[in-house]
Amino acid sequence: MELLNNLSLGFGVALTLGNIGYCFIGVLLGTLIGVLPGIGPLVTISMLLPITFGMPPVSALIMLAGIYYGAQYGGSTAAILVNLPGEVSSSVTCLDGYQMARRGKAGYALATAALASVIAGFIGTLAIATLAKPLSAWAIEFGAEDYFGLMVMGLVSATVLSNGDLAKSLGMVMFGLLLGLIGTDVNSGIERFTFNVPELADGIGFSILAVGLFAMPEVVSNLGQKETREVFTAKISGVMMSWAEFKAILPPSLRGTTVGGLFGMLPGVGPTVSAFAAYMVEKKVSKDPARFGLGAVEGVAAPEAANNAASQTTFIPTLTLGIPGSATMALIFGALVMYGVQPGPTVMVRDPQLFWGVVASMFVGNVMLVALNLPLVGVWVRLLTVPYRWLFPCIIMFCAFGNYTVNSSVVDVYVCAAIGVLGYVMAQLDCPPAPMVLGYVLGPQMEEYMRRALLLSGGDSMVFLRSPLSLFFLVVAALLLISMSIPAIRRKKHIVYEEKSEAEAKA
Amino acid sequence: MKKLWEVCAILSVAALCGGAIAQDKYPDQPIRLIVPFPAGGATDLVSRVVATELGKATGWAIAPDNKPGSGGSVGLSLGGKAKADGYTIVMAQNANLVINPLLGVGNYDPIKDFEPVLLVASSPMVMIVAKNSQYESVEKIIAAAKAKPGSVRFGSPGIGTSGHLAGELLQQLSGAKFLHVPYKGISQALPDLMGGRIDLFVGSAPSVMAQIKEGTLHAVGVFDKKRATDLPDVPTFDELGYSGSEAITWWGVVVPAGTRKEIVDQLNKEINAVLKKQETQAQFKNAGADVLGSSAEEFAGLIQSDVPKWKLVIERADIKKR
């Protein structure tokens, strides 16, 4: 009953004309930047932050939140139609979504991504509304050793999953881990691998790395190919799916929502790892795992549901505990403080209009996103069909501009350009960038948690096995690794990928 | 074409000379306020409030310019090297102006490279424990840490942060020994504190105020000479018998060394006036900062006493230079 009262209070706030407008601007911008590779919610939100100072806090937060979850929708469109993750969290969607598009099922893939996202969005929002309080208590149970175990599992699963040679993926994870070491060591305060460049003392910024690895090489290889970029505009049909098709995507969407919703609440895990994990779960429960990577619809539904659910539940620790779980959440957290709202356990009591208004706006935003993404998918795709010689200067400019604005640092732009060269070389050598990015993101945190767990246990490494949560994650990781080293399974994986490349050659 | 360039060159030289001649009327162009932290934090808020209110009061154009990195030292390095013409001013903090150079971060000298203008605001460091902690008072914490050195787990927002140094200062004054557990900022530390994986945490008052008010965390001591306005029931470490234990975060405006005294005086006068305004004070209160305001000499005195104090703490705690 209390929930109903709260939600009606929230809708009263979210459904004012002004706030509907801000919500629309947010999800529209979010979809736009989600479709366009190289500009993510992190860069967009940081660029818009100064504008929001003059706005009422609720409206500003509604808009910023819209950008954040809208980007997850837009990211999938680019992933399916051009095999290019508009958002890092959509990189899993590329695996099967693009294959579906190549087989003439682009419409079904897009509809699946949108519906799975909407299902996850609704459930995720409901989850925030009902579970915010008890779940913020659950997150407290996670100790340093449990986070360490979770991250080991995340890294191992990313490697096992990656669409390529296991040795190359492992190499990329290690490379990412090494890049992640650049910066100031938490436990001693000593700078590592910074070569006395002060701008490197805080490490290489994530958006710089993501732009350099994903956007820059894409631009260069597109220019090399003279307008041969495959965009499946003409083939988009079947956006309206049949009941049988809907029934096929419902269970994976629900499973993806569960995985994403749970992972999203853990600080530092976020949509990307959630999408990977959901894909892995789907592959495990599937009767026919060999279809994955060849256009399996479950491989689109589950990760799309997961990254959306995660991007919504990630608001739980930020708003209710005052613990931002990611760089983007940290920005939103900072914005709130600037508006005079202190996120934390008190926010639901002290600013009920803000908390419930934002929760309700997520319902509203999800409805808008369906309207924006399904009937208007042609418009978004046209963005990708704009002749590339016009588009690429804009992309490069936005990338450079965005990376400059994060820290107002020219060095960041140079670093991004250097990483772009590296990313191009890697792409030519068939080295997958996704495991590297994950290694980069998780590596430093993994190290931090491992060293903190050891510091608190007095150097006793058994601490990782004593905690049931950590033990569980480590066992899963070990099983995954063992399974990949059993010759029979490894052969099977090779066959799968050989079939996949044959299929690609034919298509 | 070549002619055109020559004309341009002459015109720009003329414009520069004009600027130099018009120097007696300060300011005749926008003033850049270097903010050494990204948009969104307390330093950014303090800077923006000062810039906006100063602009409103005087009609000057003040442009806040976020130059984050290296815990604020990137912005301070830029500020220290800027032209000393009064058109670059810096919102410095004790952490980046005084402490970073002591840790080997930043290539500037807090006393030689800057001219202090005034102290703007401050907020104290606070020691917090979880509610229902067995250590509900400073006496119990110190007694336990003395009985079994290293048994009390002390979390901080990172090596060399004001919170870490405040904790080290208390250990040096009391002779107790904690196990120091550094975090990256506060976000991961609070769940560990609430979950009982660390025993106490030292951070700035505004960063932990929400949880204290809510009752999930309990403040045991304030590192200041006077009690915190928002925490009237929490004793200061001074009251508890540890004199010389003040550890506050302060914000102050500095300009590059060599800036003319008239400009420093004018900035001091105008910003002091702005700090007395109701709007300014209300906005600072939201950020958890106490408005100060001071003469340039008072600020210089504070910097000169802070440097040797923290130098000693860092040496005795054996915190390595970077």
Side-chain angles (χ1 to χ4, degrees):
Chain A
M1 214 57 238
E2 196 194 337
L3 178 71
L4 280 183
N5 283 340
N6 287 332
L7 278 179
S8 72
L9 170 73
F11 277 108
V13 176
L15 289 178
T16 60
L17 199 61
N19 283 340
I20 289 178
Y22 283 122
C23 186
F24 182 74
I25 295 173
V27 295
L28 183 72
L29 260 179
T31 309
L32 178 73
I33 57 139
V35 171
L36 290 176
I39 322 166
L42 183 64
V43 174
T44 313
I45 290 175
S46 57
M47 283 195 310
L48 285 177
L49 218 48
I51 304 172
T52 62
F53 293 162
M55 286 160 55
V58 189
S59 309
L61 191 59
I62 284 174
M63 189 178 86
L64 296 182
I67 292 173
Y68 189 58
Y69 58 76
Q72 313 298 333
Y73 277 68
S76 60
T77 307
I80 290 166
L81 295 177
V82 271
N83 196 22
L84 178 62
E87 286 312 308
V88 185
S89 56
S90 308
S91 38
V92 194
T93 310
C94 288
L95 300 175
D96 281 282
Y98 184 63
Q99 293 306 320
M100 285 180 73
R102 301 194 80 149
R103 281 161 181 68
K105 289 195 283 186
Y108 184 32
L110 286 169
T112 299
L115 272 177
S117 297
V118 129
I119 292 169
F122 272 3
I123 298 176
T125 311
L126 267 179
I128 295 181
T130 47
L131 302 176
K133 216 157 191 177
L135 279 181
S136 55
W138 180 69
I140 290 175
E141 299 302 311
F142 261 69
E145 58 278 7
D146 305 318
Y147 277 111
F148 172 75
L150 177 69
M151 282 165 186
V152 169
M153 189 184 80
L155 267 188
V156 168
S157 61
T159 316
V160 170
L161 264 178
S162 96
N163 174 358
D165 191 45
L166 185 65
K168 275 183 182 168
S169 305
L170 270 178
M172 295 314 286
V173 168
M174 292 302 166
F175 189 37
L177 288 175
L178 286 176
L179 275 186
L181 290 182
I182 296 173
T184 308
D185 170 33
V186 182
N187 281 48
S188 64
I190 308 287
E191 286 180 7
R192 300 187 292 196
F193 308 112
T194 56
F195 304 101
N196 280 330
V197 179
E199 279 83 355
L200 286 179
D202 300 328
I204 298 176
F206 178 67
S207 72
I208 297 167
L209 190 76
V211 166
L213 280 182
F214 289 105
M216 297 294 182
E218 168 66 16
V219 166
V220 178
S221 58
N222 272 316
L223 288 173
Q225 285 167 10
K226 274 202 168 180
E227 300 281 326
T228 51
R229 156 167 163 153
E230 276 185 288
V231 183
F232 297 96
T233 30
K235 299 172 203 163
I236 299 171
S237 57
V239 171
M240 294 306 294
M241 57 174 74
S242 69
W243 176 241
E245 283 175 325
F246 179 71
K247 271 207 314 215
I249 66 158
L250 189 61
S253 301
L254 293 177
R255 280 191 292 268
T257 304
T258 314
V259 171
L262 290 178
F263 277 31
M265 278 176 296
L266 301 175
V269 178
T272 308
V273 183
S274 307
F276 272 108
Y279 191 82
M280 187 181 74
V281 166
E282 218 44 54
K283 216 168 164 178
K284 280 271 166 280
V285 302
S286 171
K287 288 190 196 85
D288 186 15
R291 289 186 305 116
F292 282 80
L294 297 169
V297 73
E298 303 96 302
V300 175
E304 277 302 313
N307 70 27
N308 251 69
S311 73
Q312 302 211 325
T313 52
T314 189
F315 277 87
I316 293 178
T318 308
L319 280 174
T320 63
L321 277 182
I323 298 165
S326 67
T328 314
M329 280 299 123
L331 266 183
I332 290 181
F333 178 91
L336 281 171
V337 174
M338 203 172 333
Y339 309 142
V341 177
Q342 181 64 53
T346 51
V347 83
M348 274 186 272
V349 186
R350 216 188 286 163
D351 294 292
Q353 295 209 323
L354 177 112
F355 183 83
W356 296 108
V358 171
V359 169
S361 84
M362 289 177 177
F363 270 108
V364 180
N366 274 302
V367 174
M368 288 181 187
L369 279 167
V370 180
L372 276 172
N373 276 270
L374 283 187
L376 293 180
V377 70
V379 177
W380 300 117
V381 171
R382 217 161 296 151
L383 270 179
L384 295 166
T385 59
V386 172
Y388 204 65
R389 60 186 179 280
W390 296 350
L391 203 56
F392 91 85
C394 302
I395 295 180
I396 297 274
M397 194 194 74
F398 268 125
C399 291
F401 181 64
N403 277 332
Y404 176 77
T405 46
V406 174
N407 280 333
S408 312
S409 158
V410 185
V411 175
D412 284 355
V413 181
Y414 297 152
V415 172
C416 180
I419 293 172
V421 173
L422 180 77
Y424 181 71
V425 172
M426 273 164 38
Q428 296 303 304
L429 297 174
D430 286 328
C431 293
M436 175 177 159
V437 169
L438 211 62
Y440 172 79
V441 174
L442 292 185
Q445 299 182 27
M446 224 167 88
E447 184 203 359
E448 195 188 326
Y449 286 121
M450 185 183 91
R451 288 172 64 178
R452 185 175 303 138
L454 289 173
L455 184 65
L456 287 170
S457 72
D460 178 8
S461 50
M462 293 310 283
V463 66
F464 298 109
L465 305 181
R466 263 200 308 269
S467 156
L469 276 169
S470 158
L471 183 67
F472 170 77
F473 293 132
L474 289 176
V475 166
V476 172
L479 286 179
L480 273 169
L481 264 186
I482 292 167
S483 73
M484 284 327 288
S485 47
I486 295 170
I489 299 178
R490 200 168 55 208
R491 257 199 310 277
K492 210 165 129 196
K493 187 187 165 188
H494 279 304
I495 292 167
V496 171
Y497 280 112
E498 269 161 30
E499 277 170 3
K500 194 184 158 208
S501 35
E502 275 168 31
E504 274 168 357
K506 274 179 216 151
Chain B
M1 200 61 206
K2 208 178 168 192
K3 265 257 155 69
L4 188 67
W5 282 116
E6 278 166 15
V7 172
C8 285
I10 291 165
L11 280 178
S12 48
V13 169
L16 281 175
C17 294
I21 291 161
Q23 223 179 38
D24 48 344
K25 194 185 157 282
Y26 172 86
D28 64 353
Q29 68 187 66
I31 299 171
R32 176 165 80 136
L33 170 61
I34 292 183
V35 184
F37 283 96
T43 303
D44 185 62
L45 180 92
V46 164
S47 308
R48 273 169 209 280
V49 170
V50 168
T52 314
E53 296 297 333
L54 187 59
K56 269 198 247 165
T58 59
W60 301 352
I62 323 267
D65 187 7
N66 296 85
K67 292 283 179 195
S70 290
S73 279
V74 170
L76 269 284
S77 296
L78 283 168
K81 288 194 208 91
K83 240 172 101 185
D85 56 3
Y87 293 106
T88 301
I89 64 177
V90 186
M91 185 61 76
Q93 232 184 319
N94 55 333
N96 44 52
L97 184 67
V98 173
I99 291 165
N100 279 358
L102 294 174
L103 296 170
V105 181
N107 49 354
Y108 48 84
D109 184 301
I111 297 167
K112 283 188 203 136
D113 290 342
F114 295 95
E115 201 70 62
V117 177
L118 83 163
L119 264 174
V120 170
S122 73
S123 63
M125 292 291 136
V126 179
M127 181 177 281
I128 50 173
V129 299
K131 71 169 176 193
N132 311 328
S133 165
Q134 51 171 324
Y135 304 115
E136 77 267 16
S137 70
V138 174
E139 288 88 344
K140 287 208 171 161
I141 294 169
I142 300 292
K146 276 188 175 162
K148 202 175 165 213
S151 64
V152 174
R153 296 158 299 179
F154 148 53
S156 84
I159 295 276
T161 58
S162 300
H164 175 205
L165 295 184
E168 291 293 345
L169 177 62
L170 180 67
Q171 292 179 65
Q172 292 169 11
L173 290 172
S174 66
K177 189 78 201 107
F178 303 146
L179 173 69
H180 178 227
V181 185
Y183 287 80
K184 259 188 195 162
I186 192 167
S187 62
Q188 293 160 358
L190 292 190
D192 277 4
L193 186 61
M194 294 173 197
R197 287 178 292 272
I198 54 173
D199 300 306
L200 59 94
F201 184 84
V202 179
S204 72
S207 66
V208 293
M209 195 56 75
Q211 284 86 356
I212 295 173
K213 289 259 161 83
E214 169 79 0
T216 48
L217 297 176
H218 173 60
V220 294
V222 176
F223 289 89
D224 204 349
K225 276 189 193 133
K226 58 177 199 316
R227 292 195 175 196
T229 26
D230 286 342
L231 301 168
D233 302 331
V234 181
T236 67
F237 283 96
D238 227 51
E239 292 170 33
L240 295 168
Y242 303 104
S243 67
S245 61
E246 308 92 74
I248 57 169
T249 289
W250 50 250
W251 290 272
V253 174
V254 295
V255 292
T259 306
R260 285 186 302 139
K261 182 152 192 315
E262 303 91 87
I263 293 178
V264 172
D265 288 345
Q266 198 178 350
L267 283 169
N268 179 289
K269 190 180 119 230
E270 300 292 357
I271 300 176
N272 265 320
V274 156
L275 293 178
K276 295 210 171 67
K277 284 166 65 179
Q278 282 270 292
E279 296 100 301
T280 316
Q281 304 208 338
Q283 291 182 76
F284 274 34
K285 195 163 186 287
N286 275 339
D290 301 323
V291 177
L292 290 178
S294 76
S295 69
E297 292 71 31
E298 282 166 337
F299 187 21
L302 178 65
I303 297 173
Q304 275 155 14
S305 67
D306 262 10
V307 172
K309 173 181 172 182
W310 295 116
K311 188 164 190 258
L312 192 65
V313 171
I314 288 167
E315 277 167 9
R316 290 174 65 185
D318 196 23
I319 301 170
K320 304 258 182 322
K321 280 207 170 194
R322 287 169 203 180

